[in-house]
Amino acid sequence: MAATATAPLWTALENLPRPALTELFADPGRLDRYAAVLDLPGGPIRFDWSKTHLSADVEAVLGQIADAVDLAGSRDALFAGALINNTEGRAATHMAERGAGNPAAAEEAERFHERMQALVEAIHEGLLGEVKSLIHIGIGGSALGPALAIDALAREDARVAVHVVSNVDAAALAAATAQCDPATTLIAVASKTFTTTETLMNAVSALDWLREGGVEDPFGRVVALTAAPDKAVAWGVDETRVLPFAETVGGRYSLWSSIGFPIALALGWEGFAAFLAGAAAIDRHFLEAAPSDNVVIRAAFADLYYTQARHCGSRAVFAYDERLRLLPSYLQQLEMESNGKRVLADGTPLSRPSAPVTWGGVGTDAQHAVFQLLHQGTHLIPVDFLAVSVPGHDFDPAHHRILLANCFAQGAALMAGKAGGDDMARDYPGDRPSVTILCDELGAATLGSLIAFHEHRTFVSAMMLGINPFDQFGVELGKAIAKSIEAGDAQFDPSTTALLAAAGIDG
């Protein structure tokens, strides 16, 4: 539907009354209505939107917008494998990687997974020699997902130690190689197109490191993870160690594919299968649950209310569990590259705000760094708190009690505030929204569920606004200019020219 057709509804959303959160809690049924528990493969996850300004009136208008844009039809088209990524003429089949959606895509994904499983198990059985370490080289979606999963799930008892390298700054590669022995290290090169400049440069340097470390056949230690297997083979990787995935799997949605190879290598195939199962459970929920019970749709409704009606320019995510410290960075890419657009899917201008700036941090560290602004600053910033009931350590349980107490206290304080009396410096205005997501335990299945939840949440927001969340042309211009600098064949503005000269780079 054209954006002009939904414009009156967005205006109606902006003009709704704005009762304070404390007023909304006058409804004794509010908690039951806005808190939900999903029983998932990794254990229950509790979602609590009661401390947001969602109400029956707000959801009614957002529901009308969802109907007007045929959100249900877009969801069905996504799962059916329709060419929903219209600007690139592709489907978006990351759900097929966990067995959902288009049957043909799911069958292909299963074949690719079987190939990956065979290689993972061969490595674990010692058929490639002793392997103690893997250096996983990628960038963007080829690195952020594996890094998050490895950090969250494989801190102890990893079958193989995994080091993720993304930055073209060789200091990152140096830090990884310093922890590895070339004789017992594999290199994974993760690139959807197998043309990514930063990744291939790091890969060449990693091969040099293997060679200098006495490895006679460095390419024999390389595994390629790509949607362009022919290019990987042409680059020098043996076909038996090329793990393909479908071109219709977007980079930032690709950790379910062979990009998840390091996850499987660290956890074992059983762990990776649980990761997929957790995500598949959210796929089923999103596809089958009624809108009023659908946690994905409700999350997107809250996001849209704050960006569109309250004009909030950012959303904060705080993980009250050290194992989830990389989740805010992962969500930055997922949400900002997907929905940070200025045109609709048909190419016409977007007249409304698109994605907010997603940012965040970790638990009590963030409290002592940025919460001053959240509580007393002039910006209204919706907050997501993520916590886990069972700790990831065996130290004194008091650590975890204090951690969770801080998490829940922050949400309560943001909502209630506190009057400062004559001392306005100590005045907390309150009425500041937050969502709490509480997991029972953090295992592979739970992490899979959390990530899939955020994927679909991002998709719903995009469909409600009428944009395509699956392309990312915004990253291309700067990369093209960087290549022209390297080639020395471009003219620039005086500032850029002076910077190149000051740094000793020929422009």
Side-chain angles (χ1 to χ4, degrees), residues 379-466:
H379 302 279
L380 180 65
I381 300 175
V383 176
D384 278 10
F385 295 109
L386 289 99
V388 182
S389 295
V390 178
H393 59 78
D394 294 324
F395 284 95
D396 188 337
H399 283 277
H400 205 61
R401 287 198 302 271
I402 292 171
L403 179 71
L404 294 180
N406 272 273
C407 177
F408 305 146
Q410 291 298 327
L414 285 166
M415 181 182 80
K418 182 180 180 182
D422 294 334
D423 188 354
M424 291 303 294
R426 289 179 169 80
D427 184 77
Y428 296 80
D431 198 36
R432 302 197 169 194
S434 67
V435 174
T436 301
I437 300 174
L438 178 63
C439 306
D440 189 19
E441 296 187 69
L442 183 61
T446 294
L447 184 63
S449 294
L450 285 175
I451 294 174
F453 161 76
H454 284 94
E455 286 179 350
H456 291 314
R457 171 187 190 169
T458 302
F459 171 78
V460 172
S461 288
M463 295 302 101
M464 295 276 283
L465 293 172

Side-chain angles (χ1 to χ4, degrees), residues 187-393:
I187 307 294
V189 182
S191 173
K192 180 174 179 178
T193 62
F194 226 80
T195 60
T196 310
T197 301
E198 302 94 329
T199 297
L200 294 182
M201 175 166 282
N202 277 331
V204 168
S205 294
L207 287 172
D208 290 342
W209 171 75
L210 288 175
R211 192 176 292 111
E212 292 166 4
V215 176
E216 293 183 4
D217 177 19
F219 278 100
R221 309 291 290 174
V222 176
V223 178
L225 320 172
T226 183
D230 292 346
K231 290 181 180 177
V233 171
W235 189 75
V237 184
D238 188 274
E239 190 273 339
T240 60
R241 283 176 278 101
V242 176
L243 300 179
F245 62 94
E247 190 180 37
T248 48
V249 175
R252 58 193 173 279
Y253 302 90
S254 63
L255 77 169
W256 321 102
S257 71
S258 64
I259 296 297
F261 168 74
I263 305 171
L265 198 62
L267 300 183
W269 190 259
E270 182 178 340
F272 187 68
F275 183 63
L276 298 177
I282 293 293
D283 291 335
R284 291 190 294 273
H285 172 82
F286 177 44
L287 192 59
E288 298 170 3
S292 59
D293 299 320
N294 199 305
V295 300
V296 171
I297 292 174
R298 177 155 283 168
F301 276 11
D303 294 342
L304 289 164
Y305 176 70
Y306 288 113
T307 56
Q308 306 304 316
R310 296 291 186 100
H311 304 290
C312 298
S314 76
R315 183 174 75 85
V317 179
F318 297 102
Y320 275 73
D321 193 296
E322 183 70 16
R323 294 168 294 177
L324 292 174
R325 62 179 179 171
L326 298 182
L327 184 61
S329 296
Y330 180 83
L331 296 180
Q332 279 183 336
Q333 185 195 35
L334 174 64
E335 297 175 4
M336 293 168 68
E337 281 207 350
S338 295
N339 291 350
K341 307 292 171 64
R342 63 192 303 272
V343 295
L344 300 171
D346 63 7
T348 59
L350 174 64
S351 60
R352 306 202 60 81
S354 61
V357 174
T358 305
W359 62 284
V362 181
T364 52
D365 288 354
Q367 288 178 201
H368 290 265
V370 299
F371 275 39
Q372 168 65 42
L373 184 145
L374 295 176
H375 284 284
Q376 292 187 307
T378 57
H379 302 279
L380 180 65
I381 300 175
V383 176
D384 278 10
F385 295 109
L386 289 99
V388 182
S389 295
V390 178
H393 59 78

